[in-house]
């Protein structure tokens, strides 16, 4: 949102096929994104983004003991796909409009650190959330170690956050509720806000972050549903709110 009105609202859907491999190795196949709702003015941007995302539609992941992503194992393959997309899909756009060069140069840099970027992408963090050790010392509530993800309102900057978890009884399932809160961030937000936002919004920065999630597991301890909300706020005039709804397809 921006000011008193809604600036942009988008709803998308993807199907992720997760294929287990050897111990701690999995493969993720991501379908083309389906746009259920979007603003027409954003269509050219989404079309470019969809072409870019083709490079990461097949991921080979190594997981840590707590089920978070430790490493992207097919980095070279992803970069090769990106080079092919540039050559076949985006070259025409470069010839039509020089400003596309800047977008492509930005993604060139991003693909050189694709391992870090995927691990810091919130949707991957939500799906591959830590799972508590359920051994002898297991407790129904606790805290995960600090994590970081890429800010939406301050592009290129990372947000560090702490997460508390609590298990609750939910009839024939068990449920983990999580709450995340801001711990720190990279970059000088006050300076970036003054440069990029202050003139348009004309009120001070009051940065805030909210993360809330519900994880539902079936009796076989298989994750079957996630509802996750994130709210990143500059102040009352500008905020970003996203709802992730992840369901197991059987």
């Amino acid at each position: 949102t921006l000011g008193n009105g809604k600036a942009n609202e988008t709803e998308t859907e993807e199907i992720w096929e997760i294929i287990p491999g050897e111990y701690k190795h999995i493969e993720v196949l991501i379908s083309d994104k389906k746009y259920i709702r979007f603003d027409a003015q954003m269509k050219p941007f989404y079309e470019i983004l969809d072409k870019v995302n083709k490079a990461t539609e097949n991921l080979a992941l190594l997981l840590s003991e707590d089920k978070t992503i430790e490493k992207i194992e097919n980095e070279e393959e992803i970069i090769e796909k990106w080079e092919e997309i540039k050559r076949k899909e985006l070259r025409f756009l470069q010839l039509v409009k020089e400003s596309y060069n800047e977008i492509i140069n930005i993604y060139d840099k991003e693909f050189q650190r694709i391992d870090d970027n995927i691990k810091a992408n919130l949707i991957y963090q939500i799906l591959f959330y830590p799972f508590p050790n359920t051994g002898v010392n297991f407790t129904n509530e606790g805290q995960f170690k600090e994590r970081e993800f890429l800010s939406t309102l301050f592009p290129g900057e990372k947000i560090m956050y702490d997460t508390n978890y609590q298990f609750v009884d939910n009839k024939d399932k068990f449920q983990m509720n999580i709450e995340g809160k801001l711990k720190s961030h990279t970059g000088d937000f006050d300076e970036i806000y003054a440069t990029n936002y202050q003139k348009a919004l004309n009120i001070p920065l009051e940065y805030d972050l909210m993360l809330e999630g519900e994880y539902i597991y079936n009796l076989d301890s298989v994750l079957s549903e996630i509802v996750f909300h994130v709210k990143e706020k500059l102040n009352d005039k500008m905020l970003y709110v996203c709802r992730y709804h992840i369901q197991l397809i059987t």
Side-chain angles (χ1 to χ4, degrees):
T1 64
L2 178 62
N4 297 320
K6 182 176 65 182
N8 181 26
E9 182 177 5
T10 304
E11 181 179 358
T12 65
E13 181 179 277
E14 293 176 342
I15 295 176
W16 289 26
E17 183 180 1
I18 297 177
I19 305 168
E22 297 178 2
Y23 178 61
K24 296 198 294 184
H25 291 78
I26 64 167
E27 185 177 6
V28 180
L29 306 179
I30 302 173
S31 72
D32 290 342
K33 194 185 298 288
K34 178 182 177 183
Y35 287 86
I36 299 167
R37 181 185 309 155
F38 66 96
D39 293 329
Q41 64 184 9
M42 296 296 290
K43 186 177 180 181
F45 171 73
Y46 291 146
E47 287 176 348
I48 294 173
L49 194 59
D50 286 344
K51 294 180 190 297
V52 172
N53 285 338
K54 284 282 188 182
T56 52
E57 65 183 2
N58 187 349
L59 298 174
L61 306 178
L62 173 66
L63 301 185
S64 302
E65 292 292 341
D66 64 359
K67 311 303 182 189
T68 58
I69 297 174
E70 182 173 317
K71 186 177 182 348
I72 312 301
E73 298 199 299
N74 62 331
E75 278 188 75
E76 289 186 11
E77 178 186 324
I78 291 170
I79 293 172
E80 286 174 5
K81 281 187 180 179
W82 165 239
E83 293 296 331
E84 184 178 356
I85 290 166
K86 278 197 302 181
R87 189 172 66 253
K88 293 184 177 179
E89 303 280 340
L90 300 180
R91 181 57 182 155
F92 174 73
L93 296 178
Q94 284 180 289
L95 295 173
V96 171
K97 200 170 183 180
E98 286 189 8
S99 60
Y100 285 114
N101 280 324
E102 184 178 350
I103 296 173
I104 291 168
N105 288 337
I106 289 170
Y107 279 113
D108 265 333
K109 294 175 183 176
E110 295 304 314
F111 275 102
Q112 292 305 314
R113 47 178 182 259
I114 192 65
D115 185 87
D116 288 339
N117 282 338
I118 286 178
K119 288 190 284 190
N121 186 310
L122 193 57
I123 192 169
Y124 291 98
Q125 291 201 5
I126 290 170
L127 188 58
F128 298 100
Y129 224 82
F131 193 81
N133 187 333
T134 55
V136 177
N137 297 320
F138 173 74
T139 58
N140 282 332
E141 55 185 62
Q143 188 175 55
F144 294 123
K145 64 182 181 182
E146 174 188 300
R147 304 184 83 189
E148 64 178 21
F149 72 96
L150 292 164
S151 169
T152 298
L153 298 180
F154 292 101
E157 303 299 337
K158 290 183 178 179
I159 310 294
M160 274 65 73
Y161 65 99
D162 288 325
T163 308
N164 294 317
Y165 69 85
Q166 181 181 31
F167 282 96
V168 295
D169 291 330
N170 189 350
K171 297 181 181 178
D172 58 343
K173 305 172 183 178
F174 65 99
Q175 177 174 329
M176 180 177 72
N177 294 338
I178 71 102
E179 289 187 4
K181 61 181 180 180
L182 176 69
K183 183 171 184 180
S184 61
H185 55 75
T186 62
D188 186 334
F189 278 15
D190 288 316
E191 183 178 336
I192 300 171
Y193 179 80
T195 302
N196 297 336
Y197 295 108
Q198 181 74 59
K199 188 174 180 179
L201 300 180
N202 199 30
I203 58 174
L205 173 67
E206 296 177 351
Y207 186 81
D208 195 18
L209 175 74
M210 180 274 288
L211 299 166
E212 292 179 349
E214 295 180 357
Y215 287 70
I216 307 296
Y217 299 83
N218 62 27
L219 291 178
D220 295 322
S221 300
V222 175
L223 181 60
S224 57
E225 185 173 15
I226 305 169
V227 177
F228 199 102
H229 293 92
V230 56
K231 176 179 177 181
E232 194 177 356
K233 173 182 170 183
L234 293 181
N235 48 42
D236 290 337
K237 283 192 175 182
M238 188 166 183
L239 56 127
Y240 167 78
V241 179
C242 189
R243 174 179 181 266
Y244 297 89
H245 188 195
I246 300 170
Q247 289 180 292
L248 176 66
I249 300 173
T250 57

